[in-house]
Amino acid sequence: MAQAFWHLTPVERAAALTYYQPHSEMANAIYQLKYGGRPDIGEDLGRLMAVEMSYANFFEGIEALLPVPLAKKRLRQRGYNQSEQLAYGIYEKTGLPIITKALIRKEFLQSQTQLGRQERQENVKDIFQLVDDRELKHKHVLLVDDICTTGATLIACVDAIKQVENIRISVLTFGFTHS
């Protein structure tokens, strides 16, 4: 997964717990989390991520969790942010604080699921906005998301926060798939 970010954006560590395969049990869990009204699945998967990634000392030096924000419209539709639910589960096992007020998603253009690599990048370009950098300054933050396909969403997040004073950024997703 780290290769998805090479030469594109400054990320210290990048990992996914699973390789995402459509129609698998894990794919069904993510589907239920995102579209089935099951925020509890996110917390369960987050706890699993925390336990498994702790074996590899992945959280060493990480100071805060930064879930990828949802647009307000999507948040109203779903009732929760699936990335935040994953972060809650990680928090339960690691005690790392969750930062939810520093970064916002400006608007919801369209779902990434049916888009190709170039279209995904254009769909999320400049969509995230840093609104408060105080909690991010001088910290090593972990961006948390559900699935990484091309890395476009995560790169857009990094682009929005990489100018914060002395910030270090790592990435963790539940699943990784390659488009």
Side-chain angles (χ1 to χ4, degrees), residues 1-2 5 11-17 46 48-66 90 94 96 140-145 154 168-174:
M1 185 168 125
F5 302 98
V11 170
E12 287 203 15
R13 281 177 238 158
L17 181 65
L48 179 63
M49 290 166 70
V51 169
E52 294 299 319
M53 297 308 289
S54 290
Y55 293 128
N57 295 320
F58 186 82
F59 298 101
E60 192 170 311
I62 302 286
E63 297 168 276
L65 305 172
L66 183 62
I90 295 168
T94 65
L96 291 168
H140 186 175
V141 298
L142 182 63
L143 273 174
V144 177
D145 204 4
L154 293 160
R168 293 167 39 227
I169 305 163
S170 289
V171 172
L172 179 62
T173 65
F174 177 75

Side-chain angles (χ1 to χ4, degrees), residues 18-32 45 147 174-177:
T18 64
Y19 184 77
Y20 182 87
Q21 295 178 299
H23 313 295
S24 67
E25 267 187 59
M26 292 302 177
N28 184 50
I30 291 294
Y31 185 85
Q32 290 301 314
L45 296 178
I147 301 294
F174 177 75
F176 174 71
T177 187

Side-chain angles (χ1 to χ4, degrees), residues 75-141:
L75 188 57
R76 279 193 303 273
Q77 289 170 344
R78 189 169 290 156
Y80 56 90
N81 176 345
Q82 75 276 6
S83 298
E84 237 176 82
Q85 295 305 120
L86 292 168
Y88 290 140
I90 295 168
Y91 161 78
E92 285 180 32
K93 294 294 184 183
T94 65
L96 291 168
I98 301 171
I99 297 171
T100 59
K101 304 279 191 248
L103 186 65
I104 62 167
R105 189 175 196 133
K106 290 191 261 185
E107 58 190 86
F108 178 69
L109 297 180
Q110 70 182 97
S111 173
Q112 298 277 82
T113 54
Q114 301 300 317
L115 303 180
R117 175 177 289 275
Q118 190 65 40
E119 294 166 315
R120 284 172 182 255
Q121 289 171 340
E122 285 301 313
N123 192 44
V124 295
K125 185 174 172 37
D126 300 322
I127 202 163
F128 296 101
Q129 179 182 349
L130 178 67
V131 291
D132 185 353
D133 69 354
R134 290 176 292 181
E135 291 184 283
L136 302 177
K137 285 182 181 178
H138 309 287
K139 285 210 170 78
H140 186 175
V141 298

Side-chain angles (χ1 to χ4, degrees), residues 25-44:
E25 267 187 59
M26 292 302 177
N28 184 50
I30 291 294
Y31 185 85
Q32 290 301 314
L33 168 63
K34 291 176 84 161
Y35 307 110
R38 295 285 310 275
D40 57 302
I41 290 174
E43 290 183 47
D44 291 343

